């Protein structure tokens, strides 16, 4: 006996609920008619809804349907247009039928062209404390992901208050500021009662991001007033800050223990998790975020920790809805997002008795960690315990794939130009992860293998024979000035001197340049997949949606893009914080793949905590960085071959050129608005470039002369021109 009939009934019920709840949109032809009748372009609708033009095209063609609150906003737009342009008003001869009425739909309201859709009001559920709307700036709409079986476009009733709440105390009353401007009265008098209220009444949380995954636990952000109310210190002492937690004997911890709540191994710190062991599929876990304990790193979250409760809920809610509910630092969240999108296990098919079991989820990294190859191991790794104490591994022993840090002296011709212009690759490492095949399982050691660009791994190969003065670009050989180019094979841009370890993308690029490669040995991974694709797509969409909210669309002409980027952060400083956090999630998540020891009494040769994670994968990090660096070099070579211009300095994803004008358009070879194919292109999408900053050539020469450093990396300072003695190494 299978559960197929029940699943069919559930699907039918969900469809009926979608009809009753207003989740069914007008016919495809009617959607197009309404938009065209109003004189709206697909780009205008896309900007209003915070999506790409391609999404509107897909919705009107029936290839896809909007999800969650974007469906609600799109339906509301269509309903508003249908009132203004009814089908009966169509030109004579039209055979279009009027759209079906939407039962239970709220009255339509005009949609502001540049505003994100507002989250719908939610009535208070029976037995809950009354809720009200916070005054002030309206929150960015929360983009809930509907769980399997939920009505199309409907908010999961389990999480109708959103993914998180900022808990504050005003005039003696405890309030929970949720996303969408919702404010809940909190009756809890103690910390254990607050946890109970969160799980029993608050309806906070977020649906899982993938089928086999788990729903996100509710997140409570405690202000200083809330900390005082629940008996917690407003700030940590120096000793507590170093330990990362308050003592286990603290009164609040004892209260939780008496109420049978547990804390994770990291204890009660800035990102505390309070839980009870799961019973079956039911989880009982609440996460706390405490900004005054430095939970929100100012390098990534700016001044978010100082915002009023409603505005902090807006910032964190926008991040949670577009990325995921924060699980810790942006680095931790970036790593957790990988696992949330590719859970290690899934439920098996029912056996003869109808029972399901946990099994490996294909395409994931699994539940158990795998050993890295010796060349991939960082210094101090247990695999290297037998090396002499002060042994320094060279390129032939150690895989060293890192981002560029390269500069050169300017030529006489470049010194005659007026400006140094920096361009920066948007979300460069995210773009490097897109479509990249990485190893999923253990490495296999092979001797003298034939190189396979589709096989992820680490290769010992001699690339010192590759001459950048003659390289293959596409199908043609071109001549370049190799003295003005960095090597694509080393982070410092130096030409290799002999055999060295490289990740697959680096060796593949060497072959692409037209040279033969003969690996001496390799560690390859036959079990592979595009593990990071979903991770890239979610972060890309989060970044583009937030930039669109800030007035920087994905389809702007070069001049319009530069204008839109000028001062975009000042248009909405809170959403600018979200942009910074999304970028930090990319870099931090990749960095966590090779996390080093963090104190805890570690000694070289001993394992550290991160090694026990299946997501400790230095080979994946190396492959992403390798691909990012070679992608950048490919554009530089293409640009040099076409224009004769060479970079002056490169730092990670920032490239500096000398030019006669202060704008990137003064040296990028646009023709009739079209960029050089395969070269640099201005735009907001990951992999495209933006203007990083402009300084004068005289500034660059003066800085290098002042510090007697002809190869000082000017890309590090091109943004604002500030250079200190500490920066220069003095």
């Amino acid at each position: 006996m299978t559960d197929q009939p029940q699943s069919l009934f559930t699907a039918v019920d969900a469809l009926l609920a979608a009809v009753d709840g207003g989740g069914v949109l007008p016919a495809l032809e009617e959607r197009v008619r309404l938009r065209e009748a109003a004189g709206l372009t697909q780009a205008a609708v896309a900007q209003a809804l915070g999506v790409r033009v391609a999404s509107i095209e897909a919705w009107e063609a029936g290839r896809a349907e909007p999800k969650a609150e974007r469906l609600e906003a799109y339906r509301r737009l269509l309903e508003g247009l249908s009132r203004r342009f009814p089908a009966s008003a169509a030109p004579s001869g039209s055979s279009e039928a009027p759209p079906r009425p939407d039962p239970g739909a709220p009255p339509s309201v005009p949609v502001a062209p540049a505003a994100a859709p507002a989250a719908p009001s939610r009535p208070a559920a029976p037995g809950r404390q009354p809720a009200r709307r916070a005054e002030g700036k309206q929150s960015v709409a929360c983009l809930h992901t509907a769980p399997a079986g939920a009505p199309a476009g409907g908010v999961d009733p389990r999480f109708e208050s959103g993914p998180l709440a900022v808990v504050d105390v005003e005039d003696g009353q405890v309030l929970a500021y949720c996303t969408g401007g919702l404010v809940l009265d909190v009756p809890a008098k103690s910390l254990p009662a607050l946890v109970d209220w969160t799980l029993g009444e608050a309806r906070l949380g977020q649906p899982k991001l993938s089928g086999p995954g788990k729903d996100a636990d509710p997140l409570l952000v405690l202000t200083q007033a809330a900390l005082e109310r629940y008996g917690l210190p407003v700030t940590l002492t120096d000793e507590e800050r170093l330990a990362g937690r308050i003592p286990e004997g603290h009164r609040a911890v004892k209260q939780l223990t008496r109420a049978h709540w547990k804390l994770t191994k990291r204890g009660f710190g800035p990102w505390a998790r309070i839980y009870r062991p799961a019973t079956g599929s039911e989880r009982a876990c609440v996460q706390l975020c405490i900004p005054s304990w430095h939970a929100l790193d100012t390098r990534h979250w700016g001044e978010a920790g100082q915002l009023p409760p409603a505005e902090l809920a807006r910032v964190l809610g926008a991040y949670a809805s577009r990325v995921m509910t924060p699980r810790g630092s942006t680095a931790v969240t970036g790593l957790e997002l990988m696992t949330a999108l590719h859970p290690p296990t899934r439920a098996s098919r029912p056996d003869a008795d109808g029972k399901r079991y946990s099994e490996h989820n294909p395409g994931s990294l699994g539940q158990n960690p795998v050993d890295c190859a010796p060349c991939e191991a960082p210094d101090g790794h247990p695999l290297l315990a037998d090396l002499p104490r002060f042994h320094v591994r060279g390129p032939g022993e150690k895989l060293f794939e890192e981002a560029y840090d390269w500069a050169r002296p300017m030529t006489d011709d470049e010194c005659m130009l007026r400006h140094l212009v920096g361009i920066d690759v948007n979300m460069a490492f995210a773009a490097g992860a897109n479509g990249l095949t990485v190893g999923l399982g253990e490495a296999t050691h092979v001797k003298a293998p034939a190189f396979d660009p589709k096989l992820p791994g680490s290769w010992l190969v001699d690339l010192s024979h590759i001459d950048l003065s003659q390289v293959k670009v596409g199908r043609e050989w071109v001549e370049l000035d190799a003295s003005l180019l960095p090597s694509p094979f080393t982070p410092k841009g130096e030409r290799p001197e002999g055999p060295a370890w490289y990740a697959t993308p680096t060796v593949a690029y060497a072959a692409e340049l037209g040279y033969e490669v003969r690996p001496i040995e390799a560690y390859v991974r036959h079990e592979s997949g595009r593990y990071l694709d979903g991770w890239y797509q979610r972060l890309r969409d989060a970044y583009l949606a937030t930039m669109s909210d800030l007035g920087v669309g994905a389809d702007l002409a070069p001049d319009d893009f530069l204008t839109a980027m000028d001062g975009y952060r000042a248009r909405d400083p809170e959403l600018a914080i979200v942009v910074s956090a999304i970028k930090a999630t990319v870099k931090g998540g990749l960095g966590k793949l090779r996390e080093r020891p963090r104190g805890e009494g570690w000694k070289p040769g001993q394992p550290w905590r991160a090694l026990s994670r299946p997501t400790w994968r230095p080979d994946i990090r190396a492959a992403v960085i390798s691909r990012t660096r070679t992608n950048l070099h490919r554009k530089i070579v293409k640009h040099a071959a076409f224009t004769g211009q060479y970079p002056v300095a490169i730092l990670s994803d920032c490239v500096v050129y000398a030019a006669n004008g202060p704008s990137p358009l003064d040296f990028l070879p646009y023709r009739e608005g079209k960029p050089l194919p395969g070269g640099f292109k201005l735009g907001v999408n990951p992999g495209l470039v933006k203007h990083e900053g402009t300084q004068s050539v005289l500034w660059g020469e003066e800085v290098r002369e002042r510090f007697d450093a002809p190869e000082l990396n000017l890309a590090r300072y091109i943004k604002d021109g500030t250079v200190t003695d500490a920066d220069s190494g003095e």
Side-chain angles (χ1 to χ4, degrees):
M1 185 67 180
T2 68
D3 59 355
Q4 183 178 5
Q6 184 59 42
S7 65
L8 293 176
F9 296 156
T10 301
V12 171
D13 291 342
L15 186 60
L16 293 173
V19 175
D20 294 338
V24 177
L25 295 171
L28 303 179
E29 297 81 1
E30 181 66 6
R31 304 178 198 181
V32 178
R33 185 193 72 79
L34 290 172
R35 178 178 58 76
E36 293 179 345
L40 296 174
T41 64
Q42 291 178 331
V45 176
Q47 182 180 9
L49 299 180
V51 298
R52 293 177 293 167
V53 174
S55 297
I56 303 300
E57 293 174 348
W59 299 348
E60 292 183 350
R63 297 191 302 270
E65 293 289 340
K67 303 295 184 183
E69 291 188 356
R70 281 203 169 86
L71 185 145
E72 170 67 16
Y74 187 47
R75 185 200 56 73
R76 185 170 293 190
L77 170 64
L78 294 176
E79 185 191 45
L81 294 177
S82 68
R83 291 176 184 273
R84 293 162 174 78
F85 306 98
S88 58
S92 58
S94 173
S95 60
E96 294 173 337
R100 290 184 58 187
D102 192 357
S108 63
V109 296
V111 178
S121 301
R122 305 184 183 98
R128 300 177 66 199
Q129 295 296 321
R132 60 182 183 274
R133 289 281 164 184
E135 297 179 356
K137 186 178 293 185
Q138 177 64 39
S139 170
V140 169
C142 183
L143 313 179
H144 292 286
T145 303
V155 175
D156 191 321
R158 298 174 301 162
F159 311 126
E160 66 176 13
S161 296
L164 55 89
V166 179
V167 181
D168 192 32
V169 180
E170 296 181 12
D171 299 327
Q173 175 64 47
V174 183
L175 303 174
Y177 290 82
C178 307
T179 56
L182 181 69
V183 182
L184 303 176
D185 294 322
V186 182
K189 303 297 183 183
S190 66
L191 189 58
L194 178 63
V195 176
D196 290 330
W197 172 83
T198 303
L199 295 172
E201 300 182 40
R203 299 193 181 182
L204 292 169
Q206 194 173 30
K208 57 190 177 183
L209 297 180
S210 66
K214 298 177 181 178
D215 297 328
D217 299 318
L219 173 64
L220 295 182
V221 185
L222 302 184
T223 66
Q224 294 187 23
L227 292 173
E228 292 178 345
R229 181 61 172 265
Y230 292 113
L232 292 165
V234 172
T235 59
L236 298 179
T237 65
D238 291 342
E239 183 179 352
E240 291 168 344
R241 189 170 64 254
L242 290 174
R245 67 186 76 186
I246 59 176
E248 294 182 3
H250 192 279
R251 184 180 67 174
V253 178
K254 290 183 177 179
Q255 286 180 343
L256 293 170
T257 302
R258 285 196 298 269
H260 306 291
W261 289 105
K262 296 179 179 293
L263 294 166
T264 57
K265 290 182 179 180
R266 62 184 175 185
F268 204 126
W271 290 93
R273 298 189 69 80
I274 304 171
Y275 73 99
R276 285 184 181 134
T279 56
S281 61
E282 295 298 324
R283 290 168 54 85
C285 183
V286 173
Q287 179 166 293
L288 302 183
C289 168
I290 306 177
S292 64
W293 294 6
H294 305 289
L296 301 175
D297 192 328
T298 55
R299 294 173 299 174
H300 310 140
W301 291 102
E303 301 302 319
Q306 308 300 321
L307 292 174
E311 297 179 12
L312 179 55
R314 178 181 185 244
V315 169
L316 293 177
Y319 178 89
S321 62
R322 290 174 174 174
V323 180
M324 69 179 299
T325 303
R327 295 288 304 272
S329 67
T330 51
V332 170
T333 304
L335 194 69
E336 291 288 340
L337 180 61
M338 297 179 194
T339 303
L341 293 168
H342 284 286
T345 61
R346 68 178 183 182
S348 67
R349 292 180 177 273
D351 61 13
D353 298 326
K355 294 183 179 180
R356 297 178 184 268
Y357 301 91
S358 177
E359 66 177 13
H360 173 69
N361 184 26
S364 74
L365 298 181
Q367 286 183 294
N368 301 314
V370 298
D371 288 335
C372 62
C375 62
E376 299 163 351
D379 294 337
H381 192 279
L383 287 175
L384 310 176
D386 294 335
L387 290 178
R389 183 176 178 184
F390 297 106
H391 177 75
V392 177
R393 294 187 294 161
E397 299 173 278
K398 180 180 180 180
L399 178 68
F400 192 65
E401 295 283 10
E402 297 294 340
Y404 268 129
D405 185 355
W406 170 88
R408 62 169 175 82
M410 284 186 280
T411 65
D412 292 342
D413 289 340
E414 289 168 339
C415 289
M416 297 299 291
L417 301 176
R418 298 177 59 190
H419 299 280
L420 293 173
V421 184
I423 53 176
D424 181 81
V425 182
N426 296 313
M427 303 267 284
F429 294 100
N434 181 32
L436 177 65
T437 300
V438 300
L440 300 178
E442 295 184 354
T444 301
H445 185 221
V446 290
K447 290 282 190 178
F451 176 68
D452 183 353
K454 297 181 180 179
L455 190 59
S458 300
W459 309 77
L460 180 63
V461 57
D462 189 352
L463 301 180
S464 60
H465 64 289
I466 296 180
D467 184 5
L468 293 181
S469 61
Q470 277 197 329
V471 297
K472 201 171 185 180
V473 178
R475 297 182 178 180
E476 299 180 358
W477 286 87
V478 298
E479 294 186 0
L480 302 171
D481 189 341
S483 66
L484 303 180
L485 281 174
S487 167
F489 310 124
T490 62
K492 291 294 184 180
E494 301 166 346
R495 186 168 178 169
E497 296 180 353
W501 285 98
Y502 303 100
T504 296
T506 300
V507 185
Y509 183 60
E512 179 186 325
L513 291 175
Y515 290 86
E516 185 180 21
V517 293
R518 294 182 178 179
I520 301 169
E521 60 177 304
Y523 288 90
V524 297
R525 291 172 171 84
H526 296 284
E527 182 186 356
S528 61
R530 292 166 57 160
Y531 175 72
L532 294 173
D533 273 11
W535 182 80
Y536 159 77
Q537 290 162 8
R538 183 146 183 102
L539 290 166
R540 174 204 62 194
D541 292 348
Y543 175 72
L544 292 180
T546 311
M547 291 298 291
S548 178
D549 289 339
L550 288 165
V552 185
D555 301 306
L556 296 175
D559 285 312
D560 295 335
F561 169 71
L562 292 174
T563 300
M565 286 294 294
D566 187 19
Y568 76 93
R569 291 181 173 274
R571 294 177 200 139
D572 191 332
E574 294 170 14
L575 285 185
I577 293 174
V578 179
V579 171
S580 297
I582 293 170
K583 292 180 178 179
T585 303
V586 173
K587 291 187 177 181
L590 293 172
K592 278 283 185 180
L593 293 170
R594 188 178 178 265
E595 184 178 1
R596 301 302 308 277
R598 304 178 63 184
E600 303 174 353
W602 174 81
K603 295 181 180 180
Q606 296 179 348
W608 57 93
R609 183 183 299 181
L611 299 186
S612 63
R613 295 193 322 248
T615 49
W616 193 83
R617 293 295 302 271
D619 57 298
I620 295 180
R621 173 188 176 273
V624 173
I625 295 176
S626 165
R627 192 166 189 241
T628 302
R629 193 183 65 248
T630 54
N631 280 348
L632 183 60
H633 195 273
R634 183 181 293 108
K635 295 179 187 298
I636 290 170
V637 166
K638 190 79 172 182
H639 184 88
F642 188 80
T643 68
Q645 298 169 334
Y646 294 84
V648 172
I650 310 173
L651 182 67
S652 187
D653 47 11
C654 176
V655 187
V656 176
Y657 282 90
N660 265 325
S663 168
L665 289 175
D666 290 313
F667 70 91
L668 293 181
Y670 272 83
R671 290 184 176 179
E672 298 180 355
K674 296 182 179 180
L676 172 68
F680 295 109
K681 178 182 178 181
L682 289 167
V684 72
N685 282 284
L688 306 189
V689 299
K690 64 179 182 295
H691 184 205
E692 179 69 3
T694 296
Q695 305 297 329
S696 69
V697 168
L698 291 177
W699 164 86
E701 288 298 282
E702 187 275 331
V703 167
R704 286 177 164 177
E705 183 177 344
R706 187 195 338 158
F707 296 111
D708 192 23
E711 297 182 359
L712 183 70
N713 196 332
L714 299 176
R716 193 183 305 275
Y717 319 106
I718 196 70
K719 191 167 189 175
D720 59 14
T722 302
V723 185
T724 66
D725 290 345
D727 291 330
S728 66
E730 294 291 324

